[in-house]
Amino acid sequence: FERTKQGQGQAFSIISEAGVGKSRLLYEFRKAVSSEDVTFLEGKCLSYSKGVAYHPIIDLYKSNFDIRENDSDFHIKEKVRAGLKQLEVDEASVLPYLLELVSVKDSGFDQIPLSPEGKKSRMIETMIRIPLKGSEIRPLIMVIEDLHWMDRSSDNVLKYMLESISGARILLIFAYRPEFVHTWGGKSYHSQVTLNRLSNRESLSMLYNILDSGQVERNLEELVLAKTEGIPFYLEEFVTSLRELNIIEKRENYCLIKDIEDLAIPSSIQDVIMAKVDGLPDDAREVLQTGSVIEREFNLDLIKEVMDQAENELLSSLSLLKDSELIYERGIYPDTTYIFKHALTREVVYDSILSN
């Protein structure tokens, strides 16, 4: 950010699996720059938005022009016009593209005498021109989260935007899971950090912090370490659940006071995992559910016996589950064993069968 303020545009990627801390790091960064004279815009890709062109870019522009959900087309036009006047941008050259981007009827986009390719090219130019003009007034931070769900059109815009910021006061921040591979190529002004899971020592430090006590019985420590596997979001939610359900109590030390066999996993963790599972094809989801019934680990021979799928279809489903990083593979075909990546993943998938 300091480099950005000096007119050296920067891009920064935060990479980690779900629950490790991308959003928290962004939250802390935003707090750190809250006293700065800066424009801070945010966009977010959603699991269902891959087919929606420019979805996170639209978020950024709605934020920039303060467009609210209930705004009428008239009010949106007035807000965009006011914003363009502040930026000292010629309204006639960009207004139809911006209004079309934010889905205003009668945007004037249809009346532009250009080919579809020409309109698309001009649309991208507009999307890049506006932040460049804005950065002349004050430094601009643009955050886009969950790029692993990004649509192709937005990916293309970010590629051009990244190539345009080197001399501008613009900081682009991207957050995504490891499975996303960008197509932008290497830039000297693009940095990245990969957030890893917590070590056992770090997990216990977080546990003590949540409980506000370092006096914790060993069996409770072992339970938390086994269940949460170094993922801070899971750890926080799991320990919170233990407290809310009165499973743990502070006596001389924090200790378990109830049988945890029937403990319900916090719904926020279920939501994180099931969103990923629900996005799978039916065959792959069935294999995952069947594996969860067997145990956290299951071998190929056993899953073949209980699944009513041809072997090539089964292997295809297992390959998809590996690519989705829901399971790991150990060994060489045909002596292959599959392991749920998280113990909690297996439990949530298994519980989803029972609830159905």
mmCIF file of all heavy atoms in Angstrom, residues 289-328:
data_model
loop_
_atom_site.group_PDB
_atom_site.id
_atom_site.type_symbol
_atom_site.label_atom_id
_atom_site.label_comp_id
_atom_site.label_asym_id
_atom_site.label_seq_id
_atom_site.Cartn_x
_atom_site.Cartn_y
_atom_site.Cartn_z
ATOM 1 N N GLN A 289 -20.436 -39.589 -0.408
ATOM 2 C CA GLN A 289 -21.327 -39.989 0.681
ATOM 3 C C GLN A 289 -21.099 -41.440 1.088
ATOM 4 O O GLN A 289 -21.085 -41.760 2.282
ATOM 5 C CB GLN A 289 -22.786 -39.765 0.258
ATOM 6 C CG GLN A 289 -23.157 -38.294 0.132
ATOM 7 C CD GLN A 289 -24.541 -38.087 -0.452
ATOM 8 O OE1 GLN A 289 -25.043 -38.926 -1.209
ATOM 9 N NE2 GLN A 289 -25.166 -36.964 -0.128
ATOM 10 N N THR A 290 -20.905 -42.304 0.101
ATOM 11 C CA THR A 290 -20.657 -43.713 0.408
ATOM 12 C C THR A 290 -19.351 -43.874 1.162
ATOM 13 O O THR A 290 -19.263 -44.628 2.139
ATOM 14 C CB THR A 290 -20.619 -44.545 -0.892
ATOM 15 O OG1 THR A 290 -21.847 -44.372 -1.599
ATOM 16 C CG2 THR A 290 -20.403 -46.024 -0.592
ATOM 17 N N GLY A 291 -18.324 -43.150 0.737
ATOM 18 C CA GLY A 291 -17.053 -43.202 1.453
ATOM 19 C C GLY A 291 -17.178 -42.737 2.882
ATOM 20 O O GLY A 291 -16.557 -43.295 3.786
ATOM 21 N N SER A 292 -18.031 -41.731 3.121
ATOM 22 C CA SER A 292 -18.194 -41.213 4.485
ATOM 23 C C SER A 292 -18.841 -42.242 5.401
ATOM 24 O O SER A 292 -18.606 -42.243 6.607
ATOM 25 C CB SER A 292 -19.023 -39.930 4.467
ATOM 26 O OG SER A 292 -20.403 -40.200 4.235
ATOM 27 N N VAL A 293 -19.655 -43.135 4.825
ATOM 28 C CA VAL A 293 -20.275 -44.203 5.616
ATOM 29 C C VAL A 293 -19.228 -45.227 6.031
ATOM 30 O O VAL A 293 -19.281 -45.783 7.143
ATOM 31 C CB VAL A 293 -21.404 -44.881 4.812
ATOM 32 C CG1 VAL A 293 -21.966 -46.069 5.589
ATOM 33 C CG2 VAL A 293 -22.507 -43.872 4.499
ATOM 34 N N ILE A 294 -18.258 -45.465 5.160
ATOM 35 C CA ILE A 294 -17.221 -46.463 5.455
ATOM 36 C C ILE A 294 -16.344 -45.971 6.601
ATOM 37 O O ILE A 294 -16.197 -46.640 7.615
ATOM 38 C CB ILE A 294 -16.370 -46.739 4.197
ATOM 39 C CG1 ILE A 294 -17.249 -47.341 3.083
ATOM 40 C CG2 ILE A 294 -15.205 -47.674 4.527
ATOM 41 C CD1 ILE A 294 -16.561 -47.464 1.741
ATOM 42 N N GLU A 295 -15.733 -44.822 6.434
ATOM 43 C CA GLU A 295 -14.889 -44.207 7.468
ATOM 44 C C GLU A 295 -14.099 -43.102 6.809
ATOM 45 O O GLU A 295 -14.285 -42.809 5.635
ATOM 46 C CB GLU A 295 -13.959 -45.247 8.111
ATOM 47 C CG GLU A 295 -13.461 -44.998 9.540
ATOM 48 C CD GLU A 295 -14.231 -43.990 10.365
ATOM 49 O OE1 GLU A 295 -15.213 -44.344 11.017
ATOM 50 O OE2 GLU A 295 -13.823 -42.822 10.342
ATOM 51 N N ARG A 296 -13.195 -42.482 7.545
ATOM 52 C CA ARG A 296 -12.409 -41.404 6.943
ATOM 53 C C ARG A 296 -11.508 -41.931 5.828
ATOM 54 O O ARG A 296 -11.240 -41.237 4.858
ATOM 55 C CB ARG A 296 -11.562 -40.697 8.002
ATOM 56 C CG ARG A 296 -10.864 -39.486 7.381
ATOM 57 C CD ARG A 296 -10.080 -38.666 8.369
ATOM 58 N NE ARG A 296 -9.443 -37.556 7.656
ATOM 59 C CZ ARG A 296 -8.552 -36.745 8.196
ATOM 60 N NH1 ARG A 296 -8.205 -36.902 9.463
ATOM 61 N NH2 ARG A 296 -8.010 -35.777 7.480
ATOM 62 N N GLU A 297 -11.021 -43.167 5.961
ATOM 63 C CA GLU A 297 -10.225 -43.791 4.911
ATOM 64 C C GLU A 297 -10.994 -44.961 4.311
ATOM 65 O O GLU A 297 -11.675 -45.696 5.026
ATOM 66 C CB GLU A 297 -8.890 -44.302 5.459
ATOM 67 C CG GLU A 297 -7.966 -43.212 5.956
ATOM 68 C CD GLU A 297 -6.586 -43.755 6.304
ATOM 69 O OE1 GLU A 297 -6.238 -44.872 5.837
ATOM 70 O OE2 GLU A 297 -5.871 -43.073 7.047
ATOM 71 N N PHE A 298 -10.888 -45.134 3.007
ATOM 72 C CA PHE A 298 -11.492 -46.292 2.356
ATOM 73 C C PHE A 298 -10.657 -46.641 1.130
ATOM 74 O O PHE A 298 -10.072 -45.773 0.488
ATOM 75 C CB PHE A 298 -12.950 -46.016 1.961
ATOM 76 C CG PHE A 298 -13.140 -44.787 1.117
ATOM 77 C CD1 PHE A 298 -13.150 -44.862 -0.270
ATOM 78 C CD2 PHE A 298 -13.311 -43.536 1.705
ATOM 79 C CE1 PHE A 298 -13.337 -43.724 -1.059
ATOM 80 C CE2 PHE A 298 -13.484 -42.395 0.935
ATOM 81 C CZ PHE A 298 -13.499 -42.484 -0.452
ATOM 82 N N ASN A 299 -10.570 -47.937 0.834
ATOM 83 C CA ASN A 299 -9.748 -48.340 -0.308
ATOM 84 C C ASN A 299 -10.601 -48.551 -1.542
ATOM 85 O O ASN A 299 -11.829 -48.635 -1.474
ATOM 86 C CB ASN A 299 -8.901 -49.583 0.022
ATOM 87 C CG ASN A 299 -9.753 -50.785 0.363
ATOM 88 O OD1 ASN A 299 -10.746 -51.064 -0.304
ATOM 89 N ND2 ASN A 299 -9.365 -51.511 1.411
ATOM 90 N N LEU A 300 -9.932 -48.649 -2.680
ATOM 91 C CA LEU A 300 -10.625 -48.743 -3.959
ATOM 92 C C LEU A 300 -11.452 -50.016 -4.056
ATOM 93 O O LEU A 300 -12.591 -49.987 -4.545
ATOM 94 C CB LEU A 300 -9.601 -48.687 -5.101
ATOM 95 C CG LEU A 300 -10.169 -48.786 -6.517
ATOM 96 C CD1 LEU A 300 -11.174 -47.672 -6.791
ATOM 97 C CD2 LEU A 300 -9.044 -48.759 -7.545
ATOM 98 N N ASP A 301 -10.914 -51.133 -3.592
ATOM 99 C CA ASP A 301 -11.649 -52.402 -3.686
ATOM 100 C C ASP A 301 -12.969 -52.329 -2.942
ATOM 101 O O ASP A 301 -14.002 -52.807 -3.427
ATOM 102 C CB ASP A 301 -10.800 -53.552 -3.119
ATOM 103 C CG ASP A 301 -9.654 -53.931 -4.052
ATOM 104 O OD1 ASP A 301 -9.750 -53.606 -5.260
ATOM 105 O OD2 ASP A 301 -8.673 -54.543 -3.569
ATOM 106 N N LEU A 302 -12.955 -51.729 -1.758
ATOM 107 C CA LEU A 302 -14.174 -51.676 -0.953
ATOM 108 C C LEU A 302 -15.206 -50.753 -1.591
ATOM 109 O O LEU A 302 -16.391 -51.090 -1.667
ATOM 110 C CB LEU A 302 -13.838 -51.209 0.465
ATOM 111 C CG LEU A 302 -15.012 -51.128 1.451
ATOM 112 C CD1 LEU A 302 -15.754 -52.458 1.507
ATOM 113 C CD2 LEU A 302 -14.520 -50.736 2.832
ATOM 114 N N ILE A 303 -14.775 -49.590 -2.050
ATOM 115 C CA ILE A 303 -15.734 -48.668 -2.653
ATOM 116 C C ILE A 303 -16.298 -49.247 -3.945
ATOM 117 O O ILE A 303 -17.455 -49.014 -4.304
ATOM 118 C CB ILE A 303 -15.084 -47.271 -2.884
ATOM 119 C CG1 ILE A 303 -16.150 -46.190 -3.082
ATOM 120 C CG2 ILE A 303 -14.134 -47.273 -4.054
ATOM 121 C CD1 ILE A 303 -16.841 -45.739 -1.857
ATOM 122 N N LYS A 304 -15.508 -50.055 -4.661
ATOM 123 C CA LYS A 304 -15.996 -50.726 -5.871
ATOM 124 C C LYS A 304 -17.082 -51.735 -5.526
ATOM 125 O O LYS A 304 -18.077 -51.883 -6.251
ATOM 126 C CB LYS A 304 -14.846 -51.444 -6.594
ATOM 127 C CG LYS A 304 -13.990 -50.523 -7.452
ATOM 128 C CD LYS A 304 -12.698 -51.168 -7.878
ATOM 129 C CE LYS A 304 -12.910 -52.432 -8.688
ATOM 130 N NZ LYS A 304 -11.613 -52.989 -9.151
ATOM 131 N N GLU A 305 -16.926 -52.425 -4.412
ATOM 132 C CA GLU A 305 -17.909 -53.439 -4.011
ATOM 133 C C GLU A 305 -19.257 -52.831 -3.663
ATOM 134 O O GLU A 305 -20.298 -53.418 -3.962
ATOM 135 C CB GLU A 305 -17.384 -54.226 -2.796
ATOM 136 C CG GLU A 305 -16.327 -55.258 -3.144
ATOM 137 C CD GLU A 305 -15.957 -56.093 -1.926
ATOM 138 O OE1 GLU A 305 -16.756 -56.122 -0.951
ATOM 139 O OE2 GLU A 305 -14.883 -56.684 -1.945
ATOM 140 N N VAL A 306 -19.239 -51.678 -3.041
ATOM 141 C CA VAL A 306 -20.499 -51.120 -2.543
ATOM 142 C C VAL A 306 -21.131 -50.118 -3.500
ATOM 143 O O VAL A 306 -22.300 -49.767 -3.339
ATOM 144 C CB VAL A 306 -20.289 -50.453 -1.162
ATOM 145 C CG1 VAL A 306 -19.874 -51.474 -0.133
ATOM 146 C CG2 VAL A 306 -19.266 -49.323 -1.239
ATOM 147 N N MET A 307 -20.364 -49.653 -4.507
ATOM 148 C CA MET A 307 -20.909 -48.688 -5.452
ATOM 149 C C MET A 307 -21.406 -49.384 -6.708
ATOM 150 O O MET A 307 -20.759 -50.287 -7.239
ATOM 151 C CB MET A 307 -19.832 -47.666 -5.866
ATOM 152 C CG MET A 307 -19.459 -46.664 -4.789
ATOM 153 S SD MET A 307 -20.818 -45.575 -4.297
ATOM 154 C CE MET A 307 -21.242 -44.818 -5.845
ATOM 155 N N ASP A 308 -22.562 -48.951 -7.175
ATOM 156 C CA ASP A 308 -23.131 -49.507 -8.403
ATOM 157 C C ASP A 308 -22.706 -48.636 -9.596
ATOM 158 O O ASP A 308 -23.520 -48.017 -10.272
ATOM 159 C CB ASP A 308 -24.658 -49.569 -8.290
ATOM 160 C CG ASP A 308 -25.294 -50.255 -9.482
ATOM 161 O OD1 ASP A 308 -24.595 -51.068 -10.159
ATOM 162 O OD2 ASP A 308 -26.471 -49.976 -9.776
ATOM 163 N N GLN A 309 -21.382 -48.580 -9.820
ATOM 164 C CA GLN A 309 -20.837 -47.805 -10.922
ATOM 165 C C GLN A 309 -19.787 -48.624 -11.656
ATOM 166 O O GLN A 309 -19.073 -49.426 -11.035
ATOM 167 C CB GLN A 309 -20.182 -46.499 -10.426
ATOM 168 C CG GLN A 309 -21.143 -45.430 -9.956
ATOM 169 C CD GLN A 309 -20.408 -44.114 -9.671
ATOM 170 O OE1 GLN A 309 -19.312 -43.880 -10.167
ATOM 171 N NE2 GLN A 309 -21.027 -43.254 -8.872
ATOM 172 N N ALA A 310 -19.706 -48.445 -12.973
ATOM 173 C CA ALA A 310 -18.621 -49.061 -13.732
ATOM 174 C C ALA A 310 -17.299 -48.497 -13.228
ATOM 175 O O ALA A 310 -17.230 -47.347 -12.776
ATOM 176 C CB ALA A 310 -18.797 -48.774 -15.213
ATOM 177 N N GLU A 311 -16.239 -49.295 -13.324
ATOM 178 C CA GLU A 311 -14.965 -48.881 -12.729
ATOM 179 C C GLU A 311 -14.448 -47.575 -13.328
ATOM 180 O O GLU A 311 -13.948 -46.718 -12.603
ATOM 181 C CB GLU A 311 -13.904 -49.972 -12.906
ATOM 182 C CG GLU A 311 -12.583 -49.600 -12.243
ATOM 183 C CD GLU A 311 -11.607 -50.764 -12.184
ATOM 184 O OE1 GLU A 311 -12.037 -51.918 -12.378
ATOM 185 O OE2 GLU A 311 -10.417 -50.511 -11.940
ATOM 186 N N ASN A 312 -14.584 -47.400 -14.634
ATOM 187 C CA ASN A 312 -14.081 -46.161 -15.240
ATOM 188 C C ASN A 312 -14.869 -44.939 -14.750
ATOM 189 O O ASN A 312 -14.313 -43.857 -14.548
ATOM 190 C CB ASN A 312 -14.115 -46.254 -16.768
ATOM 191 C CG ASN A 312 -15.517 -46.421 -17.321
ATOM 192 O OD1 ASN A 312 -16.378 -47.019 -16.678
ATOM 193 N ND2 ASN A 312 -15.753 -45.906 -18.511
ATOM 194 N N GLU A 313 -16.184 -45.112 -14.535
ATOM 195 C CA GLU A 313 -16.991 -44.020 -13.995
ATOM 196 C C GLU A 313 -16.615 -43.719 -12.554
ATOM 197 O O GLU A 313 -16.556 -42.558 -12.134
ATOM 198 C CB GLU A 313 -18.474 -44.369 -14.096
ATOM 199 C CG GLU A 313 -18.983 -44.503 -15.520
ATOM 200 C CD GLU A 313 -20.427 -44.973 -15.592
ATOM 201 O OE1 GLU A 313 -20.986 -45.339 -14.527
ATOM 202 O OE2 GLU A 313 -20.991 -44.974 -16.688
ATOM 203 N N LEU A 314 -16.365 -44.787 -11.790
ATOM 204 C CA LEU A 314 -15.979 -44.624 -10.392
ATOM 205 C C LEU A 314 -14.642 -43.891 -10.277
ATOM 206 O O LEU A 314 -14.491 -42.963 -9.475
ATOM 207 C CB LEU A 314 -15.888 -45.989 -9.713
ATOM 208 C CG LEU A 314 -15.430 -46.002 -8.247
ATOM 209 C CD1 LEU A 314 -16.378 -45.186 -7.377
ATOM 210 C CD2 LEU A 314 -15.337 -47.438 -7.743
ATOM 211 N N LEU A 315 -13.680 -44.289 -11.103
ATOM 212 C CA LEU A 315 -12.371 -43.637 -11.083
ATOM 213 C C LEU A 315 -12.483 -42.172 -11.500
ATOM 214 O O LEU A 315 -11.769 -41.313 -10.980
ATOM 215 C CB LEU A 315 -11.399 -44.378 -11.997
ATOM 216 C CG LEU A 315 -10.971 -45.771 -11.523
ATOM 217 C CD1 LEU A 315 -10.127 -46.467 -12.593
ATOM 218 C CD2 LEU A 315 -10.176 -45.674 -10.215
ATOM 219 N N SER A 316 -13.381 -41.905 -12.430
ATOM 220 C CA SER A 316 -13.604 -40.522 -12.849
ATOM 221 C C SER A 316 -14.167 -39.695 -11.696
ATOM 222 O O SER A 316 -13.751 -38.552 -11.466
ATOM 223 C CB SER A 316 -14.565 -40.498 -14.042
ATOM 224 O OG SER A 316 -14.846 -39.167 -14.417
ATOM 225 N N SER A 317 -15.113 -40.276 -10.953
ATOM 226 C CA SER A 317 -15.694 -39.580 -9.799
ATOM 227 C C SER A 317 -14.639 -39.343 -8.724
ATOM 228 O O SER A 317 -14.554 -38.247 -8.145
ATOM 229 C CB SER A 317 -16.854 -40.389 -9.220
ATOM 230 O OG SER A 317 -17.936 -40.450 -10.114
ATOM 231 N N LEU A 318 -13.817 -40.350 -8.469
ATOM 232 C CA LEU A 318 -12.768 -40.212 -7.458
ATOM 233 C C LEU A 318 -11.746 -39.159 -7.879
ATOM 234 O O LEU A 318 -11.249 -38.399 -7.047
ATOM 235 C CB LEU A 318 -12.078 -41.564 -7.227
ATOM 236 C CG LEU A 318 -12.925 -42.611 -6.501
ATOM 237 C CD1 LEU A 318 -12.294 -43.995 -6.625
ATOM 238 C CD2 LEU A 318 -13.100 -42.243 -5.030
ATOM 239 N N SER A 319 -11.452 -39.105 -9.178
ATOM 240 C CA SER A 319 -10.521 -38.094 -9.679
ATOM 241 C C SER A 319 -11.082 -36.687 -9.473
ATOM 242 O O SER A 319 -10.363 -35.762 -9.094
ATOM 243 C CB SER A 319 -10.245 -38.344 -11.163
ATOM 244 O OG SER A 319 -9.404 -37.343 -11.691
ATOM 245 N N LEU A 320 -12.388 -36.532 -9.696
ATOM 246 C CA LEU A 320 -13.027 -35.235 -9.492
ATOM 247 C C LEU A 320 -12.991 -34.828 -8.025
ATOM 248 O O LEU A 320 -12.748 -33.674 -7.679
ATOM 249 C CB LEU A 320 -14.471 -35.283 -9.984
ATOM 250 C CG LEU A 320 -15.301 -34.000 -9.849
ATOM 251 C CD1 LEU A 320 -14.639 -32.859 -10.619
ATOM 252 C CD2 LEU A 320 -16.711 -34.221 -10.361
ATOM 253 N N LEU A 321 -13.202 -35.800 -7.135
ATOM 254 C CA LEU A 321 -13.156 -35.522 -5.697
ATOM 255 C C LEU A 321 -11.745 -35.120 -5.265
ATOM 256 O O LEU A 321 -11.578 -34.267 -4.392
ATOM 257 C CB LEU A 321 -13.626 -36.743 -4.910
ATOM 258 C CG LEU A 321 -15.097 -37.132 -5.092
ATOM 259 C CD1 LEU A 321 -15.402 -38.439 -4.367
ATOM 260 C CD2 LEU A 321 -16.015 -36.019 -4.595
ATOM 261 N N LYS A 322 -10.743 -35.731 -5.892
ATOM 262 C CA LYS A 322 -9.354 -35.346 -5.603
ATOM 263 C C LYS A 322 -9.090 -33.923 -6.096
ATOM 264 O O LYS A 322 -8.474 -33.128 -5.387
ATOM 265 C CB LYS A 322 -8.376 -36.315 -6.281
ATOM 266 C CG LYS A 322 -8.257 -37.679 -5.606
ATOM 267 C CD LYS A 322 -7.100 -38.473 -6.201
ATOM 268 C CE LYS A 322 -7.315 -38.720 -7.678
ATOM 269 N NZ LYS A 322 -6.151 -39.396 -8.321
ATOM 270 N N ASP A 323 -9.547 -33.626 -7.304
ATOM 271 C CA ASP A 323 -9.344 -32.284 -7.859
ATOM 272 C C ASP A 323 -10.038 -31.220 -7.010
ATOM 273 O O ASP A 323 -9.566 -30.087 -6.907
ATOM 274 C CB ASP A 323 -9.863 -32.214 -9.296
ATOM 275 C CG ASP A 323 -9.021 -33.028 -10.264
ATOM 276 O OD1 ASP A 323 -7.875 -33.363 -9.908
ATOM 277 O OD2 ASP A 323 -9.513 -33.340 -11.365
ATOM 278 N N SER A 324 -11.176 -31.605 -6.419
ATOM 279 C CA SER A 324 -11.911 -30.686 -5.544
ATOM 280 C C SER A 324 -11.286 -30.596 -4.160
ATOM 281 O O SER A 324 -11.733 -29.811 -3.318
ATOM 282 C CB SER A 324 -13.369 -31.148 -5.402
ATOM 283 O OG SER A 324 -14.003 -31.189 -6.653
ATOM 284 N N GLU A 325 -10.267 -31.424 -3.932
ATOM 285 C CA GLU A 325 -9.543 -31.482 -2.659
ATOM 286 C C GLU A 325 -10.449 -31.817 -1.476
ATOM 287 O O GLU A 325 -10.253 -31.344 -0.364
ATOM 288 C CB GLU A 325 -8.790 -30.169 -2.403
ATOM 289 C CG GLU A 325 -7.664 -29.939 -3.392
ATOM 290 C CD GLU A 325 -6.662 -28.899 -2.934
ATOM 291 O OE1 GLU A 325 -6.985 -28.123 -2.020
ATOM 292 O OE2 GLU A 325 -5.561 -28.894 -3.482
ATOM 293 N N LEU A 326 -11.450 -32.657 -1.757
ATOM 294 C CA LEU A 326 -12.249 -33.200 -0.666
ATOM 295 C C LEU A 326 -11.613 -34.478 -0.130
ATOM 296 O O LEU A 326 -11.802 -34.818 1.044
ATOM 297 C CB LEU A 326 -13.677 -33.480 -1.156
ATOM 298 C CG LEU A 326 -14.523 -32.231 -1.411
ATOM 299 C CD1 LEU A 326 -15.728 -32.554 -2.270
ATOM 300 C CD2 LEU A 326 -14.953 -31.584 -0.106
ATOM 301 N N ILE A 327 -10.891 -35.193 -0.994
ATOM 302 C CA ILE A 327 -10.188 -36.399 -0.571
ATOM 303 C C ILE A 327 -8.758 -36.376 -1.103
ATOM 304 O O ILE A 327 -8.457 -35.673 -2.079
ATOM 305 C CB ILE A 327 -10.893 -37.694 -1.055
ATOM 306 C CG1 ILE A 327 -10.934 -37.743 -2.590
ATOM 307 C CG2 ILE A 327 -12.287 -37.813 -0.452
ATOM 308 C CD1 ILE A 327 -11.464 -39.068 -3.130
ATOM 309 N N TYR A 328 -7.896 -37.139 -0.441
ATOM 310 C CA TYR A 328 -6.531 -37.374 -0.903
ATOM 311 C C TYR A 328 -6.419 -38.816 -1.380
ATOM 312 O O TYR A 328 -7.205 -39.692 -0.975
ATOM 313 C CB TYR A 328 -5.525 -37.156 0.218
ATOM 314 C CG TYR A 328 -5.291 -35.727 0.615
ATOM 315 C CD1 TYR A 328 -4.930 -35.392 1.921
ATOM 316 C CD2 TYR A 328 -5.403 -34.691 -0.300
ATOM 317 C CE1 TYR A 328 -4.689 -34.089 2.298
ATOM 318 C CE2 TYR A 328 -5.174 -33.382 0.060
ATOM 319 C CZ TYR A 328 -4.820 -33.083 1.354
ATOM 320 O OH TYR A 328 -4.590 -31.789 1.720
#
